[in-house]
């Protein structure tokens, strides 16, 4: 069982940066692929970024490539999402995701989800 807790969201202006963190419980964190998703009211949750258990492979939604960076520190059971050059369209509730399989995280059918942290970008 894995429990995920996100933090780092907030209200910022367009062009600013934020770093989201997701800390996981459980001794098997280092063996899990991790990801970030986001959702706005009335829309389905969408994939943002994912990283393999080793950190050796990452994958991003096209619209965030070059602006967002996903990374992890297995010693701290934490995955990060560094978000630069934020835009109003990045406003959403951001969720952390985990699963033993990378492809499952990419598909959003993973077993574990956090509660979400709100990111609001004003223009």
């Amino acid at each position: 069982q894995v429990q995920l807790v996100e933090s780092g969201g907030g209200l910022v202006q367009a062009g600013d940066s934020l770093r989201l963190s997701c800390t996981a419980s459980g001794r098997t964190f280092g063996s899990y692929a991790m990801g970030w998703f986001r959702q706005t009211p009335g829309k389905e949750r969408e994939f943002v970024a994912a990283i393999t258990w080793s950190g050796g492979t990452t994958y991003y939604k096209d619209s965030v490539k070059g602006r967002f960076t996903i990374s992890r520190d297995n010693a701290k059971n934490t995955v990060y999402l560094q978000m630069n050059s934020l835009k109003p369209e990045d406003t959403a509730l951001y969720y952390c995701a985990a699963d033993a399989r990378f492809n499952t995280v990419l598909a959003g059918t993973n077993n574990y989800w956090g509660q979400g942290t709100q990111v609001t970008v004003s223009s």
Side-chain angles (χ1 to χ4, degrees), residues 1 3 8-10 13 17 33 40 46 49 51 63 65-66 70 77 99-100 104-105 110-112 116 120-121 123:
Q1 192 78 339
Q3 292 185 327
Q13 293 186 333
S17 298
T40 54
E46 65 174 8
I51 188 167
S63 64
K65 286 179 181 177
I70 188 171
N77 280 13
D99 200 272
T104 303
V105 174
N110 41 282
N111 285 323
Y112 305 108
T120 303
V121 184
S123 58

Side-chain angles (χ1 to χ4, degrees), residues 15-18 64 66-69 82-87 90:
D16 286 350
S17 298
L18 274 178
V64 307
R67 300 189 298 123
F68 291 11
T69 302
Q82 177 67 42
M83 305 185 295
N84 299 329
S85 301
L86 282 162
K87 303 175 180 180
D90 294 318

Side-chain angles (χ1 to χ4, degrees), residues 8-112:
L11 171 64
V12 296
Q13 293 186 333
D16 286 350
S17 298
L18 274 178
R19 188 176 79 159
L20 305 183
S21 299
C22 171
T23 301
S25 64
R27 293 175 292 177
T28 58
F29 173 80
S31 65
Y32 278 77
M34 303 294 297
W36 289 95
F37 287 72
R38 65 189 183 187
Q39 188 172 23
T40 54
K43 294 186 177 181
E44 291 190 359
R45 188 154 45 190
E46 65 174 8
F47 169 82
V48 176
I51 188 167
T52 53
W53 69 269
S54 67
T57 299
T58 56
Y59 196 80
Y60 296 92
K61 175 182 174 64
D62 284 347
S63 64
V64 307
K65 286 179 181 177
R67 300 189 298 123
F68 291 11
T69 302
I70 188 171
S71 61
R72 66 190 297 160
D73 184 338
N74 288 345
K76 296 182 178 179
N77 280 13
T78 301
V79 63
Y80 305 98
L81 185 68
Q82 177 67 42
M83 305 185 295
N84 299 329
S85 301
L86 282 162
K87 303 175 180 180
E89 51 264 43
D90 294 318
T91 295
L93 186 61
Y94 282 72
Y95 294 92
C96 180
D99 200 272
R101 301 183 64 181
F102 184 60
N103 286 343
T104 303
V105 174
L106 291 178
T109 55
N110 41 282
N111 285 323
Y112 305 108

